[in-house]
Amino acid sequence: MNKQKLLSTHNLFTLRLLLSLLGAYIGTSYRDVSHDYWLVMMFLFTVIAIAPGYYRFRQHRDNLKELTRDIMHWSGGLCAGIVVYAYHSSGRIFHEETGLIVLLIVALTTYLDGVQRGWRCIFTGIFLGLITVCVAFFDSYLWQLSAFAAAALVYSHYRQSADSQTGTV
């Protein structure tokens, strides 16, 4: 399979939204272990964000500055998540709060990454922030979030198709 198509912005956006919805479900059903899920997602979102830049660097050897910026940005988010998890392990923060704090770190890191990358990362960061609010305050929210994510995916697909026809990215 073509790595360039696999690492397209729409495919990575779809993956992030599906993982976010899975996290919303875990946050609803298994609140006591959701912090573990969001810590793993912090690592996975880091890989998802760095992989396209690494692939471009391996192919063209010309975007080292961009790759370094991405690595520094996401390693900062990882360090913050690990510090929160260390507080949790020492008993200073409860399970539910740890999950929400790590989720907020993932949301903020993704949102700030979107300032450089584009609207899909910004939307994902806002969506993760919305999940944080829903997990903290509401009992029934999965179908609304799913509908919102589906609408965003349809729009992203439309934009991807329109951009490929006009030659823009």
Side-chain angles (χ1 to χ4, degrees):
M1 176 169 245
N2 187 357
K3 288 182 184 179
Q4 193 69 7
K5 278 203 181 276
L6 183 65
L7 297 175
S8 73
T9 55
H10 175 70
N11 288 345
L12 295 177
F13 179 62
T14 302
L15 179 61
R16 284 183 181 128
L17 285 184
L18 291 176
L19 291 171
S20 299
L21 283 173
L22 178 61
Y25 172 74
I26 290 172
T28 301
S29 304
Y30 308 102
R31 291 182 190 260
D32 55 333
V33 295
S34 68
H35 62 282
D36 292 330
Y37 178 80
W38 289 115
L39 185 66
V40 170
M41 285 305 101
M42 186 72 206
F43 284 100
L44 191 55
F45 274 45
T46 299
V47 170
I48 290 170
I50 293 174
Y54 178 73
Y55 177 71
R56 281 192 302 275
F57 176 72
R58 294 262 322 220
Q59 294 296 316
H60 306 291
R61 302 275 186 211
D62 63 351
N63 65 341
L64 181 61
K65 188 175 184 179
E66 179 183 326
L67 180 63
T68 304
R69 185 197 68 224
D70 291 343
I71 290 171
M72 295 299 290
H73 173 76
W74 283 94
S75 63
L78 279 172
C79 288
I82 290 170
V83 167
V84 169
Y85 204 80
Y87 285 150
H88 170 263
S89 296
S90 69
R92 294 176 185 251
I93 304 174
F94 295 117
H95 297 300
E96 293 83 9
E97 289 84 7
T98 303
L100 291 175
I101 294 169
V102 173
L103 176 53
L104 280 174
I105 292 170
V106 174
L108 181 62
T109 307
T110 305
Y111 178 82
L112 291 175
D113 192 34
V115 173
Q116 298 292 326
R117 292 184 190 271
W119 71 269
R120 287 178 178 95
C121 286
I122 291 173
F123 179 85
T124 304
I126 292 170
F127 188 70
L128 287 166
L130 184 61
I131 289 173
T132 305
V133 171
C134 290
V135 168
F137 296 113
F138 304 115
D139 291 331
S140 176
Y141 53 84
L142 286 177
W143 74 268
Q144 294 95 336
L145 288 174
S146 299
F148 192 43
L153 289 174
V154 167
Y155 179 73
S156 174
H157 178 72
Y158 168 74
R159 286 291 303 261
Q160 183 89 357
S161 299
D163 290 346
S164 66
Q165 289 177 356
T166 61
T168 60
V169 177

